[in-house]
């Protein structure tokens, strides 16, 4: 399975809203497999299609220790959020080495289509709830840095640019 390149800001695809998937076909199944391989290799616990320059509403997640419980979500949408808010540190494969404390609802319900086009709903809390919200944000062109103050956001984006210059 080919590994995909993961985009970093300021790539425009990261800021664009992704379009809903209309048909689950072999190409989409392959895309999700490639996204999972890319995510495991990185390593990470979630990846959204815009991060690999595909403007479709597709997310893959695996928060298991053994990395053997992949979840493929097509057209995921948050249908309920808890009033309770939690703060936890987040990272992102598009912002390598950068982390920040982000406030989010502690629990959510998410409706989506699985790879067999069956409608599903999960209720999640803790890490899975956080990961789902983070990845669904990507489908709307939102990075975790967009939840921060302009000051904190700019510090992270500058650090990232510097990191890239050092590597180049
Ligand atoms: Ni991310």
């Amino acid at each position: 399975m080919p590994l995909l390149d993961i985009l970093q800001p300021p790539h425009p695809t990261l800021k664009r809203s992704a379009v809903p998937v209309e048909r689950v076909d072999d190409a989409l199944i392959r895309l999700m497999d490639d996204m999972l391989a890319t995510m495991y290799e990185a390593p990470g616990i979630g990846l959204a299609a815009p991060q690999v320059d595909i403007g479709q509403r597709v997310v893959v997640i695996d928060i298991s220790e053994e990395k053997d419980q992949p979840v493929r979500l097509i057209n995921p949408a948050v249908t309920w959020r808890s009033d309770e808010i939690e703060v936890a540190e987040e990272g992102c494969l598009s912002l390598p080495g950068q982390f920040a404390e982000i406030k989010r609802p502690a629990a959510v319900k998410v409706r989506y289509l699985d790879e067999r086009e069956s409608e599903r709903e999960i209720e999640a809390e803790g890490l899975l709830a956080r990961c789902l919200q983070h990845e669904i944000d990507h489908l709307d062109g939102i990075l975790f840095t967009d939840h921060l103050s302009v000051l904190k956001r700019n510090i992270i984006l500058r650090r990232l640019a510097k990191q890239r210059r050092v590597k180049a």
Side-chain angles (χ1 to χ4, degrees), residues 17-165:
S17 262
V19 300
V21 171
E22 286 181 7
R23 203 161 46 104
V24 179
D25 55 15
D26 289 349
L28 190 79
I29 300 292
R30 221 174 305 129
L31 168 68
M32 291 189 290
D33 285 343
D34 291 346
M35 285 171 61
L36 279 165
T38 303
M39 179 189 85
Y40 288 133
E41 175 72 20
I45 59 171
L47 188 67
Q51 292 180 274
V52 293
D53 209 7
I54 304 288
Q56 297 201 67
R57 303 189 80 83
V58 175
V59 162
V60 295
I61 286 177
D62 189 343
I63 60 157
S64 70
E65 288 276 323
E66 304 294 327
K67 298 295 167 207
D68 57 358
Q69 286 167 50
V71 184
R72 299 164 172 87
L73 303 100
I74 300 162
N75 300 339
V78 177
T79 56
W80 173 84
R81 295 172 173 81
S82 65
D83 292 332
E84 190 197 335
I85 302 291
E86 235 168 46
V87 182
E89 189 173 74
E90 290 187 24
C92 179
L93 293 179
S94 290
L95 303 158
Q98 308 305 317
F99 301 91
E101 303 264 301
I102 306 292
K103 265 189 219 170
R104 297 194 189 265
V108 288
K109 281 187 193 170
V110 171
R111 195 180 299 150
Y112 65 100
L113 289 180
D114 69 12
E115 63 275 25
R116 293 186 195 92
E117 267 182 285
S118 304
E119 218 177 286
R120 289 176 174 264
E121 189 172 59
I122 23 177
E123 187 167 350
E125 55 177 18
L127 179 61
L128 183 57
R130 180 162 297 274
C131 189
L132 284 162
Q133 294 175 81
H134 175 117
E135 300 309 331
I136 291 171
D137 267 0
H138 276 300
L139 303 181
D140 294 315
I142 298 167
L143 299 175
F144 80 68
T145 43
D146 294 313
H147 292 281
L148 299 170
S149 67
V150 177
L151 185 71
K152 284 187 186 165
R153 174 159 66 239
N154 286 342
I155 290 173
I156 289 183
L157 294 177
R158 239 178 287 139
R159 252 193 254 142
L160 194 67
K162 189 174 170 194
Q163 190 174 290
R164 267 197 308 255
R165 277 199 307 275

